[in-house]
Amino acid sequence: MLEALHDAANEPAWEAFDARYRPILVGFARNLGLTDSDAADVAQETLVRFIQDYREGKYDRTKGRLGAWLVGIARYRILDLRRKRSTRHEVQSDGAVANAVGDLDPDRLQAAWDAEHRQAIMREAMTELRQTTKTDERTIRAFELVVAHGRAPQQVAEELSISVHDVYLAKSRVAQRLREIVERLESTYDEGA
């Protein structure tokens, strides 16, 4: 995917990149305390700056991961937002931008990025699991209720009208399939492919 982004006319490559990274960037900015609107603006500005810099040859895979580079760009977009607000003496009642950028510790930034990155991969993996495998929807639902929602297997069994044993089997089978999908997706995200 990254190679295709060098071609400004390759809209499918841009759309794929945007679909993959915009939700992560928006969530990342929200996790840092930005409002939905500010988070969307930061994501947009980050993607625009990324594509400009990338086409100018400024990204070198040997010097770091794509996610780290995007975090750096987003950090500067957030700092720009803070500077603009402070020079205009804008006062926000919720203090969202001030709180979001007050502590841009690299560890905090990386943790926020990693959390969003994992969630994006899991969302994509669950979609792929539903669309490309023959796994029964009730089996997937049992997994989600136990793992994602922390429900007790007995409750899930009653709700879905299956045995507790079937709930444990569903959890195990879906977890195995998801692991395989997640491993493949992680490598494509890490490579920017």
Side-chain angles (χ1 to χ4, degrees), residues 104-112:
L104 290 181
D105 172 62
D107 291 337
R108 180 174 179 231
L109 292 173
Q110 194 59 54

PDB file of all heavy atoms in Angstrom, residues 104-112:
ATOM      1  N   LEU A 104       2.244  15.661  26.765  1.00  0.00           N
ATOM      2  CA  LEU A 104       2.482  14.859  25.562  1.00  0.00           C
ATOM      3  C   LEU A 104       3.715  13.996  25.743  1.00  0.00           C
ATOM      4  O   LEU A 104       4.580  13.919  24.884  1.00  0.00           O
ATOM      5  CB  LEU A 104       2.594  15.758  24.325  1.00  0.00           C
ATOM      6  CG  LEU A 104       1.291  16.415  23.897  1.00  0.00           C
ATOM      7  CD1 LEU A 104       1.496  17.264  22.658  1.00  0.00           C
ATOM      8  CD2 LEU A 104       0.196  15.400  23.654  1.00  0.00           C
ATOM      9  N   ASP A 105       3.780  13.348  26.880  1.00  0.00           N
ATOM     10  CA  ASP A 105       4.849  12.420  27.195  1.00  0.00           C
ATOM     11  C   ASP A 105       4.900  11.329  26.130  1.00  0.00           C
ATOM     12  O   ASP A 105       3.862  10.758  25.768  1.00  0.00           O
ATOM     13  CB  ASP A 105       4.568  11.823  28.577  1.00  0.00           C
ATOM     14  CG  ASP A 105       5.508  10.693  28.920  1.00  0.00           C
ATOM     15  OD1 ASP A 105       6.721  10.952  29.004  1.00  0.00           O
ATOM     16  OD2 ASP A 105       5.019   9.559  29.101  1.00  0.00           O
ATOM     17  N   PRO A 106       6.087  11.023  25.593  1.00  0.00           N
ATOM     18  CA  PRO A 106       6.188  10.001  24.542  1.00  0.00           C
ATOM     19  C   PRO A 106       5.602   8.648  24.932  1.00  0.00           C
ATOM     20  O   PRO A 106       4.979   7.981  24.100  1.00  0.00           O
ATOM     21  CB  PRO A 106       7.696   9.889  24.303  1.00  0.00           C
ATOM     22  CG  PRO A 106       8.254  11.203  24.747  1.00  0.00           C
ATOM     23  CD  PRO A 106       7.366  11.663  25.867  1.00  0.00           C
ATOM     24  N   ASP A 107       5.752   8.247  26.184  1.00  0.00           N
ATOM     25  CA  ASP A 107       5.185   6.975  26.621  1.00  0.00           C
ATOM     26  C   ASP A 107       3.656   7.012  26.597  1.00  0.00           C
ATOM     27  O   ASP A 107       3.006   6.046  26.215  1.00  0.00           O
ATOM     28  CB  ASP A 107       5.671   6.608  28.023  1.00  0.00           C
ATOM     29  CG  ASP A 107       7.156   6.264  28.046  1.00  0.00           C
ATOM     30  OD1 ASP A 107       7.713   5.875  26.990  1.00  0.00           O
ATOM     31  OD2 ASP A 107       7.769   6.397  29.124  1.00  0.00           O
ATOM     32  N   ARG A 108       3.102   8.137  27.012  1.00  0.00           N
ATOM     33  CA  ARG A 108       1.645   8.294  26.990  1.00  0.00           C
ATOM     34  C   ARG A 108       1.135   8.291  25.561  1.00  0.00           C
ATOM     35  O   ARG A 108       0.123   7.665  25.254  1.00  0.00           O
ATOM     36  CB  ARG A 108       1.248   9.585  27.690  1.00  0.00           C
ATOM     37  CG  ARG A 108      -0.249   9.818  27.694  1.00  0.00           C
ATOM     38  CD  ARG A 108      -0.634  11.032  28.522  1.00  0.00           C
ATOM     39  NE  ARG A 108      -2.071  11.201  28.470  1.00  0.00           N
ATOM     40  CZ  ARG A 108      -2.658  12.323  28.158  1.00  0.00           C
ATOM     41  NH1 ARG A 108      -1.959  13.407  27.905  1.00  0.00           N
ATOM     42  NH2 ARG A 108      -3.983  12.403  28.125  1.00  0.00           N
ATOM     43  N   LEU A 109       1.838   8.992  24.679  1.00  0.00           N
ATOM     44  CA  LEU A 109       1.441   9.009  23.269  1.00  0.00           C
ATOM     45  C   LEU A 109       1.479   7.605  22.682  1.00  0.00           C
ATOM     46  O   LEU A 109       0.551   7.182  21.990  1.00  0.00           O
ATOM     47  CB  LEU A 109       2.361   9.938  22.463  1.00  0.00           C
ATOM     48  CG  LEU A 109       2.238  11.421  22.759  1.00  0.00           C
ATOM     49  CD1 LEU A 109       3.328  12.196  22.025  1.00  0.00           C
ATOM     50  CD2 LEU A 109       0.863  11.932  22.379  1.00  0.00           C
ATOM     51  N   GLN A 110       2.559   6.887  22.945  1.00  0.00           N
ATOM     52  CA  GLN A 110       2.695   5.541  22.388  1.00  0.00           C
ATOM     53  C   GLN A 110       1.622   4.611  22.946  1.00  0.00           C
ATOM     54  O   GLN A 110       1.064   3.797  22.225  1.00  0.00           O
ATOM     55  CB  GLN A 110       4.090   4.974  22.651  1.00  0.00           C
ATOM     56  CG  GLN A 110       4.405   3.748  21.830  1.00  0.00           C
ATOM     57  CD  GLN A 110       4.314   4.003  20.330  1.00  0.00           C
ATOM     58  OE1 GLN A 110       4.939   4.925  19.812  1.00  0.00           O
ATOM     59  NE2 GLN A 110       3.538   3.198  19.625  1.00  0.00           N
ATOM     60  N   ALA A 111       1.318   4.745  24.230  1.00  0.00           N
ATOM     61  CA  ALA A 111       0.280   3.903  24.834  1.00  0.00           C
ATOM     62  C   ALA A 111      -1.082   4.198  24.215  1.00  0.00           C
ATOM     63  O   ALA A 111      -1.855   3.269  23.932  1.00  0.00           O
ATOM     64  CB  ALA A 111       0.242   4.114  26.348  1.00  0.00           C
ATOM     65  N   ALA A 112      -1.379   5.469  23.983  1.00  0.00           N
ATOM     66  CA  ALA A 112      -2.656   5.835  23.359  1.00  0.00           C
ATOM     67  C   ALA A 112      -2.727   5.289  21.932  1.00  0.00           C
ATOM     68  O   ALA A 112      -3.758   4.760  21.508  1.00  0.00           O
ATOM     69  CB  ALA A 112      -2.836   7.354  23.358  1.00  0.00           C
TER      70      ALA A 112
END
